[in-house]
Amino acid sequence: MNAIDTLPDLLRDALQIVFVGINPSLYSVERGHYFARRSNRFWPCLSRSILSAAARQALGVERLEPEHDRALPAYGFGFTDLCKRPTARASDLSPHELGAGVVALAAKLERHKPRIACFHGMTGYRHVLRELAPAAPEPSLGPQPLHIGATRCYVVPNPSGANAHFTPSDQTHWHDRLAQELQREG
């Protein structure tokens, strides 16, 4: 892997949801797919959620896997990161990189205009708030008052297997709530 290797943004105009990670893991970049590590709970939890039902049916699978990431924009789901530099841990990123990432992310969202940007965990979203709305109150999970252009912001628990604060069932529940949010806006 050379210094510029990373995961490509999987974006197109007018997506329903863009999932926003903090940054790609070295392992995911090596595998070429978002959330590629088996211990990451993103794919199993999304697969149990009503949020992915139409995409799973269209793809003819019961469970989405990392290899499905490139197919999902056709079903309304995109992927990007706050910072595109892969690291072993998100804590390896500098504050400058994260600040620059907010500017780049905002430009992507304003260009592609997804309905919702779904942030995985508070860590990345707090950097967005610090840059775009420094006077905003401390965020909580769920829908956020912040819009980036026409895009609403939403926060779900970080799906990392290291996140012991939330069970897989909790994470699936937050994806179900996100599906309900889309239906309400609908």
Side-chain angles (χ1 to χ4, degrees):
M1 180 175 86
N2 73 45
I4 60 169
D5 286 342
T6 192
L7 291 175
D9 290 327
L10 300 179
L11 300 172
R12 63 167 52 167
D13 290 347
L15 292 165
Q16 294 295 305
I17 296 171
V18 170
F19 292 108
V20 182
I22 298 171
N23 72 310
S25 72
L26 294 169
Y27 184 85
S28 287
V29 170
E30 180 182 298
R31 296 285 187 246
H33 296 286
Y34 282 83
F35 305 105
R37 191 172 298 281
R38 290 289 172 204
S39 62
N40 191 292
R41 298 181 281 193
F42 175 75
W43 295 108
C45 294
L46 180 64
S47 294
R48 286 191 297 270
S49 170
I50 60 172
L51 183 61
S52 68
R56 286 182 284 119
Q57 182 177 11
L59 292 169
V61 298
E62 286 185 34
R63 179 178 158 152
L64 295 169
E65 299 288 345
E67 294 73 23
H68 293 115
D69 60 359
R70 284 177 175 73
L72 288 177
Y75 304 102
F77 300 104
F79 296 87
T80 191
D81 300 286
L82 181 56
C83 182
K84 295 305 289 183
R85 184 171 72 90
T87 61
R89 291 170 305 285
S91 62
D92 293 340
L93 299 170
S94 72
H96 174 74
E97 287 176 291
L98 292 163
V102 171
V103 173
L105 175 65
K108 291 173 199 178
L109 295 176
E110 288 173 2
R111 176 176 176 222
H112 293 288
K113 298 175 178 54
R115 285 178 62 191
I116 294 176
C118 179
F119 291 83
H120 287 114
M122 288 295 173
T123 301
Y125 185 69
R126 282 188 184 109
H127 287 285
V128 171
L129 273 185
R130 208 171 289 131
E131 293 290 324
L132 300 181
E138 181 67 19
S140 58
L141 294 174
Q144 304 299 312
L146 179 68
H147 286 67
I148 300 174
T151 303
R152 291 203 47 217
C153 294
Y154 196 94
V155 181
V156 297
N158 188 313
S160 168
N163 182 0
H165 299 294
F166 294 93
T167 67
S169 178
D170 294 333
Q171 292 181 331
T172 298
H173 168 77
W174 281 104
H175 285 117
D176 287 345
R177 288 188 61 185
L178 180 54
Q180 293 165 355
E181 189 76 20
L182 279 174
Q183 288 174 341
R184 265 195 297 280
E185 288 187 358

